[in-house]
Amino acid sequence: MRLVAGFCLSALAVAGACSGGDSARSSIANVSAEVARAAALASGQDAPMADAVEGRSHLGFDTGTYPGDAAMLAWRSGGAPYEWAGYYMKSPCHQDEGWMGKREALTKIGYGLAVLYVGQQTWGRKPGAPHFVSVQIPTKQRVRVGRGRNRKTVTRTIMRTVRRLAPPPAADATCNADFVTAKRGNADGFDAANRAESEGFPHGTTVFLDLERMDMLHPEMRAYYSAWVRAMLLDGRYTPGIYVHTYNANTVYSDVKGEYVRAGVRSEPPFWIAKSQGFTASALPHEMGHAFAAIWQGVLDVTQTWNGHRIPIDVNVAATRSPSSVVPMERVAPTMGN
């Protein structure tokens, strides 16, 4: 979910030491406002945070690498304005297991959660199509070295970069653009449900499929995420949601909403949308221009320090303080042809 290069911001630098205790918590509104103003300065947006602190929207952060138990506790108890965190399950394109097993501990110290499953990506190419990659190959060259009587010919090995046709994915690969198919989407959908179950998430929890920004939304990708949603709905234990960039959001929403309708689900599919332009930490997600947004990710690759712990994060606002919390799906009879 690192979509663009961002800026570094230390909350300690703009708001003084956040060391926890009553004094830190009593000044949270001022601290939070300063964080928002600093972020707004870098992004060119006017972003007062007073409404967010008063509960109009719910601030959260996400970071792919688990920051550690001490840092998560320090942020929750040291005046940080964040009510929830992104929870990265081990998944095909996110093999790190740092967040796994942390659900109970994080909820006990007061974090809401947004559960993420990083599925297959196109990585800027058409799935299944031949493509070239840069590889380095050793090349032997004979060169003259030395001076006068010491001059001689030697053979040296140098590395040369060439473009070659990419080989098929390795047998143990879990993440590859060639895996972007309806068949893999179906398998990954059931895998996401099983992983959420193994983490102890209550049935009905929303699991967001992470789709990174795509300049071209290929039919294979549309088939992949549609099959993922279909599998999750068929499994029935968890609610399928989507993380997507604003550039792709409308098409993806139309496809996913269609899957909901065909499965007889009246509820709106939860969408977590990335869009920097116009972001304010006091806004509600639907104010970003997508009425179906449940979460708005608006500040990317910012580094903040709270209570002595520095974490690189993305900043989000959500309509609820725990975006993956259980919301029963309203179902009717599936439509014909489902």
Side-chain angles (χ1 to χ4, degrees):
M1 297 173 70
R2 293 287 182 258
L3 302 178
V4 297
F7 60 93
C8 290
L9 166 68
S10 168
L12 291 176
V14 298
C18 298
S19 58
D22 293 339
S23 61
R25 282 187 285 272
S26 67
S27 62
I28 186 172
N30 290 334
V31 171
S32 302
E34 290 302 319
V35 172
R37 292 187 189 105
L41 181 63
S43 61
Q45 303 298 327
D46 181 16
M49 196 178 285
D51 289 343
V53 175
E54 294 169 3
R56 182 170 181 264
S57 56
H58 301 269
L59 276 169
F61 72 89
D62 67 273
T63 182
T65 302
Y66 186 66
D69 296 344
M72 293 298 287
L73 178 60
W75 274 41
R76 193 71 194 126
S77 61
Y82 301 107
E83 299 179 74
W84 60 271
Y87 191 99
Y88 284 79
M89 294 195 300
K90 183 180 179 182
S91 45
C93 292
H94 186 85
Q95 288 292 291
D96 182 86
E97 299 185 24
W99 288 89
M100 302 296 278
K102 302 296 183 181
R103 180 198 61 81
E104 185 176 3
L106 292 174
T107 54
K108 278 185 176 179
I109 60 176
Y111 279 105
L113 298 174
V115 184
L116 281 152
Y117 182 90
V118 186
Q120 304 298 331
Q121 313 293 327
T122 57
W123 306 125
R125 65 182 181 88
K126 180 175 174 56
H131 66 288
F132 290 85
V133 294
S134 296
V135 297
Q136 286 194 318
I137 61 171
T139 302
K140 294 186 181 298
Q141 288 187 345
R142 291 180 62 81
V143 296
R144 297 283 290 173
V145 298
R147 294 182 178 180
R149 293 181 179 179
N150 294 324
R151 190 165 177 79
K152 58 183 178 179
T153 300
V154 299
T155 300
R156 287 180 174 172
T157 299
I158 63 171
M159 301 303 293
R160 186 162 58 94
T161 301
V162 298
R163 298 280 289 172
R164 286 186 172 174
L165 190 66
D172 60 349
T174 63
C175 179
N176 192 288
D178 291 340
F179 296 159
V180 178
T181 65
K183 182 178 179 180
R184 183 59 69 105
N186 183 72
D188 286 353
F190 287 110
D191 179 59
N194 289 334
R195 290 186 185 275
E197 182 84 58
S198 70
E199 286 295 284
F201 285 104
H203 290 180
T205 295
T206 295
V207 177
F208 292 92
L209 173 65
D210 184 319
L211 302 175
E212 294 299 318
R213 186 188 190 278
M214 293 164 279
D215 291 332
M216 176 69 71
L217 193 51
H218 294 285
E220 293 86 351
M221 174 53 81
R222 296 179 71 178
Y224 171 80
Y225 63 69
S226 295
W228 187 91
V229 170
R230 207 157 48 242
M232 287 279 286
L233 292 172
L234 179 63
D235 179 272
R237 286 175 290 173
Y238 297 97
T239 300
I242 301 287
Y243 166 89
V244 66
H245 191 272
T246 180
Y247 186 77
N248 308 119
N250 287 337
T251 300
V252 176
Y253 171 79
S254 179
D255 292 339
V256 171
K257 181 64 175 177
E259 294 298 334
Y260 266 58
V261 171
R262 282 186 287 276
V265 179
R266 285 184 175 176
S267 311
E268 279 295 303
F271 266 69
W272 181 347
I273 302 177
K275 178 184 178 182
S276 295
Q277 185 179 8
F279 179 79
T280 72
S282 61
L284 288 171
H286 71 265
E287 295 172 343
M288 74 184 309
H290 299 293
F292 50 86
I295 308 174
W296 181 355
Q297 182 186 79
V299 177
L300 308 170
D301 294 330
V302 55
T303 298
Q304 294 183 5
T305 304
W306 292 93
N307 203 10
H309 289 265
R310 183 178 175 88
I311 306 176
I313 63 171
D314 297 331
V315 180
N316 310 263
V317 291
T320 63
R321 70 167 307 278
S322 188
S324 281
S325 58
V326 175
V327 177
M329 286 190 291
E330 183 182 357
R331 291 182 178 268
V332 295
T335 60
M336 295 296 293
N338 185 45

